[in-house]
Amino acid sequence: MFANYLIGLREGLEASLVVCILIAYLVKTGRRDALKPIWIGIAVAVALALGFGCALEFGSQELTFEAQEALGGSLSIIAVCLVTWMVFWMRRTARHLKADLHGKLDAALQMGTGALVATAFLAVGREGLETSLFVWTSVRASSDGTEGPLIGVLLGIATAVVLGYLFYRGALRINLAKFFTWTGAMLVVVAAGVLAYGFHDLQEADFLPGLTNKAFDISETIPPDSWYGTLLKGVFNFQPDPTVLQVVVWSLYLVPTLAFFLAPSRSGKARPKTPAPVRAP
């Protein structure tokens, strides 16, 4: 559940920050008349994300087992690619997100209502679609037959909404650079498990060989149905009997990606240990 809570929190907070930056800028510049188009764009983006998630969940149920595994494995790989790009992008732009959104909003205000709707839709919609895809693949990878993974996601999103509101009201000081660095690192670990699970799906769909070629099997030491086995699966998508391909893919993704993500910036200067906290927009 923790991994899915982290996904909901991280992705939900990104969307919440985008929304509160847009709304706060319009309020502070006296353009409350533009709030309605912004909310329309946000509502359409949320509806699209929910519709996409429902299409993935219910559409896949009509497929054969092999087709479900092939779809799940392919989408898991795509989701990991998108999330990896997202965490690196946010690491670079967290400090400049506010200014970037303000610039886009200024341009949209000059163009009219349609541009405002489109600006809000694009700003929130990208986050929504990424969230739907990664949540679906992560819940599918860590599902243990209970509602725990989905509850974790919903709790994470609810927490993000509350934090976003407090951030908007100025009741919360948050160091965005540090927050997105640490949660990004944890998401990379989660993504590694989702990626390995995706390759396992492709093996079960007979798209890739080696399904019976196990790297190790510690099911007797860590039973999948034990509380600690369930905990490891929920947090790290741990599998006690992975295939050799899963272990290779997990290692080749996690080690270099995490090392590059946590490395100092390209300018050669290490990020300050205590960057200035970012106040509400």
Side-chain angles (χ1 to χ4, degrees), residues 7 9 32 43 52-53 81 86 90 93 102 104 132 137 164-165 183 200 217 248 260:
I7 295 169
L9 174 63
R32 291 180 178 270
F52 181 57
C81 291
M86 178 269 296
M90 184 57 71
T93 61
H102 284 179
K104 292 179 180 178
S132 293
T137 54
Y165 176 76
T183 57
H200 184 264
D217 188 348
V248 170
F260 186 66

Side-chain angles (χ1 to χ4, degrees), residues 186-234:
M186 288 187 284
L187 267 188
V188 169
V189 176
V190 173
V194 173
L195 184 64
Y197 188 88
F199 272 80
H200 184 264
D201 278 350
L202 293 178
Q203 288 180 307
E204 289 194 326
D206 288 333
F207 271 57
L208 294 174
L211 181 61
T212 59
N213 188 13
K214 302 295 183 180
F216 54 83
D217 188 348
I218 54 175
S219 300
E220 294 185 0
T221 304
I222 306 179
D225 56 352
S226 65
W227 68 267
Y228 45 92
T230 302
L231 179 64
L232 288 172
K233 182 175 179 60

Side-chain angles (χ1 to χ4, degrees), residues 1-4 138 141-149 219 221-240:
M1 179 183 288
F2 174 76
N4 296 288
S138 179
S142 61
S143 179
D144 54 2
T146 69
E147 302 298 324
S219 300
T221 304
I222 306 179
D225 56 352
S226 65
W227 68 267
Y228 45 92
T230 302
L231 179 64
L232 288 172
K233 182 175 179 60
V235 176
F236 302 108
N237 288 316
F238 173 79
Q239 184 177 336

Side-chain angles (χ1 to χ4, degrees), residues 6 18 22 31-32 36 40 48 124 165 211 215 258 278 280:
L6 174 64
V18 168
L22 293 175
R31 292 302 308 268
R32 291 180 178 270
K36 184 176 180 180
I40 291 174
L48 177 64
V124 179
Y165 176 76
L211 181 61
L258 198 57
V278 179

Side-chain angles (χ1 to χ4, degrees), residues 60-88:
S60 62
Q61 294 179 3
E62 303 298 324
L63 303 176
T64 63
F65 173 78
E66 289 78 10
Q68 286 184 15
E69 297 304 296
L71 176 64
S74 301
L75 290 181
S76 293
I77 295 172
I78 294 173
V80 169
C81 291
L82 288 175
V83 167
T84 304
W85 172 84
M86 178 269 296
V87 296
F88 278 95

